Amino acid sequence: MDILSPQNPRVKEWAQLLEKKHRDKQHKYVIEGIHLVQEALRSGADLECVAFDVEQGIPSELSSQMAKTDTEVQWIGVSAAVIAKCSDTKTPQPVFAVVRKRPTDIDVLLQLENSLVIVLDGVQDPGNVGTIIRTADAAGADGVIIGRGSADIYNPKTIRSTMGSIFHLPVVEGDLLELLPQAKENGVRIISTSLQATSTCYGYDFTGPSWLLLGNEAKGVSVEAQKLVDESLIIPMKGQAESLNVAMASTVMLFEAMRQRHFQ
């Protein structure tokens, strides 16, 4: 059945998912746009429904996947007004989906023999968090851990910035002061960046179990987490820039680790 009124109770529930407190309460989140919905469908995400502009119909990129989706996934035609109410962008795309959250067991990452994991400590910008998740996916990392004080994984801007990578690898939230000591007990080395470090990221051996710890955009890694770091590295720079954006720093580190592990 099509839903055309923005006042429909179900639409109100969807629109509430633009706020974190309602995402936490409903254990759901919204993804917008053909590409993200396509990636969610391909990856077997737990979709509740796909809502599309009833006047434009189901996008051709998704229609071929419609027959392959779980029969419990509802495909609902909605009005442009409904889409606008459920979107946080100025120019909404003609399709969105409601996805149920799937809890990821952190033990999966803790038990990997030679894990490469990116750990975020208070990274607050949703665009940075999303870009780091995307980069971790591209570099073949085993997962991303989001510490307290970081941007919400399910913030619409975070989701958009991942470009679908959030469906490709484990992304979990947790207390770093509990998780990092557990990782160290399992033989993981905690590596961070520092402008005061003397060793460079190009001279470090990333082929062993390595968790890369990146801190807040302004303050860096917290004092408490810094105490758990095994090795601080500097990313050498030839130009005059004072430092790199946290997402760019994570990219350099992750791709150097990938190079050592897979392209020696």
Side-chain angles (χ1 to χ4, degrees), residues 93-113:
Q93 295 195 50
V95 62
F96 68 88
V98 176
V99 188
R100 300 182 187 94
K101 293 182 182 181
R102 275 182 177 162
T104 302
D105 188 351
I106 188 66
D107 288 340
V108 172
L109 296 179
L110 288 170
Q111 292 169 6
L112 285 176
E113 286 188 6

Side-chain angles (χ1 to χ4, degrees), residues 106-217:
I106 188 66
D107 288 340
V108 172
L109 296 179
L110 288 170
Q111 292 169 6
L112 285 176
E113 286 188 6
N114 194 29
S115 59
L116 175 62
V117 174
I118 191 96
V119 183
L120 305 186
D121 179 21
V123 177
Q124 296 179 331
D125 182 85
N128 282 337
V129 172
T131 298
I132 291 168
I133 292 170
R134 182 181 179 185
T135 302
D137 179 23
D142 295 299
V144 180
I145 296 175
I146 312 291
R148 292 175 181 172
S150 296
D152 181 24
I153 301 169
Y154 305 104
N155 179 300
K157 186 176 180 182
T158 306
I159 296 287
R160 285 197 299 275
S161 297
T162 72
M163 291 295 289
S165 288
I166 192 163
F167 303 118
H168 301 163
L169 77 172
V171 181
V172 298
E173 296 173 301
D175 185 339
L176 301 189
L177 300 186
E178 292 181 5
L179 296 177
L180 295 182
Q182 291 179 48
K184 289 165 69 77
E185 288 174 7
N186 288 359
V188 170
R189 290 185 65 78
I190 310 299
I191 304 148
S192 188
T193 58
S194 171
L195 294 174
Q196 286 73 47
T198 54
S199 300
T200 78
C201 61
Y202 302 123
Y204 185 79
D205 183 1
F206 287 100
T207 58
S210 307
W211 285 22
L212 312 182
L213 177 64
L214 278 298
N216 175 268
E217 289 88 345

Side-chain angles (χ1 to χ4, degrees), residues 17 56 151 259:
L17 296 176
Q56 298 185 38
R259 183 193 69 80

Side-chain angles (χ1 to χ4, degrees), residues 1-159:
M1 179 185 294
D2 297 340
I3 298 178
L4 305 180
S5 171
Q7 303 308 315
N8 183 286
R10 194 164 185 192
V11 175
K12 290 183 178 181
E13 282 191 9
W14 295 340
Q16 286 177 339
L17 296 176
L18 297 176
E19 298 181 42
K20 185 180 187 304
K21 64 180 180 181
H22 291 292
R23 292 193 293 269
D24 292 344
K25 183 177 179 180
Q26 294 187 41
H27 302 287
K28 301 172 188 173
Y29 59 100
V30 169
I31 58 174
E32 301 178 47
I34 292 171
H35 176 72
L36 278 174
V37 174
Q38 197 171 36
E39 286 301 309
L41 290 167
R42 284 175 177 165
S43 305
D46 189 5
L47 273 66
E48 176 182 286
C49 65
V50 178
F52 58 91
D53 189 319
V54 70
E55 292 187 2
Q56 298 185 38
I58 297 173
S60 58
E61 297 93 332
L62 302 179
S63 57
S64 61
Q65 291 179 276
M66 182 178 179
K68 302 175 186 177
T69 58
D70 192 309
T71 54
E72 292 184 2
V73 178
Q74 295 177 294
W75 292 74
I76 304 170
V78 298
S79 65
V82 169
I83 290 177
K85 185 168 183 175
C86 299
S87 171
D88 79 328
T89 59
K90 291 182 179 178
T91 309
Q93 295 195 50
V95 62
F96 68 88
V98 176
V99 188
R100 300 182 187 94
K101 293 182 182 181
R102 275 182 177 162
T104 302
D105 188 351
I106 188 66
D107 288 340
V108 172
L109 296 179
L110 288 170
Q111 292 169 6
L112 285 176
E113 286 188 6
N114 194 29
S115 59
L116 175 62
V117 174
I118 191 96
V119 183
L120 305 186
D121 179 21
V123 177
Q124 296 179 331
D125 182 85
N128 282 337
V129 172
T131 298
I132 291 168
I133 292 170
R134 182 181 179 185
T135 302
D137 179 23
D142 295 299
V144 180
I145 296 175
I146 312 291
R148 292 175 181 172
S150 296
D152 181 24
I153 301 169
Y154 305 104
N155 179 300
K157 186 176 180 182
T158 306
I159 296 287

